[in-house]
């Protein structure tokens, strides 16, 4: 119960400790009003904006990886082709799905 009271009241203690009396009066006189119907946007506009943000972020990441990354200048994604045999040998899983004979002590 004491820990819960600390979690619930810690914001008020911090506010009372660090902000001056003028700020307390300003916050006490604050009134929160819900937006009017003219100020509210349709839900589809919010979805469209979020989708636009997603597309913009994907374009930024794709552009960075393909054109703007400074780590390997002139990188043409050719490592996979040149190292195909090595990657196939070193990255192959020890056991396949459903295999029972790949462990040294047999099935347990």
């Amino acid at each position: 119960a004491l820990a819960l009271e600390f979690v619930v009241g810690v914001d008020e203690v911090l506010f009372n400790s660090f902000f001056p009396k003028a700020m307390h009066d300003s916050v006490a006189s604050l009134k929160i009003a819900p937006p009017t119907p003219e100020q509210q946007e349709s839900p589809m506009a919010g979805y469209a904006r979020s989708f636009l943000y997603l597309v913009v972020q994907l374009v930024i990441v794709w552009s960075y990886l393909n054109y703007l990354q400074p780590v390997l200048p002139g990188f043409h994604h050719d490592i996979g082709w040149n190292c195909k045999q090595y990657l196939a040998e070193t990255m192959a899983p020890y056991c396949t799905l459903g295999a029972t004979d790949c462990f040294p002590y047999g099935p347990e």
Side-chain angles (χ1 to χ4, degrees), residues 90-105:
T90 59
M91 299 296 182
Y94 292 114
C95 298
T96 59
L97 184 63
T100 59
D101 59 344
C102 60
F103 293 106
Y105 302 112

Side-chain angles (χ1 to χ4, degrees), residues 1-14:
L2 182 62
L4 180 62
E5 179 61 32
F6 173 76
V7 170
V8 170
V10 71
D11 59 339
E12 293 177 18
V13 170
L14 291 174

Side-chain angles (χ1 to χ4, degrees), residues 7-30:
V7 170
V8 170
V10 71
D11 59 339
E12 293 177 18
V13 170
L14 291 174
F15 179 75
N16 291 329
S17 300
F18 292 112
F19 290 100
K21 178 80 169 104
M23 180 65 78
H24 291 224
D25 296 339
S26 178
V27 170
S29 66
L30 182 68

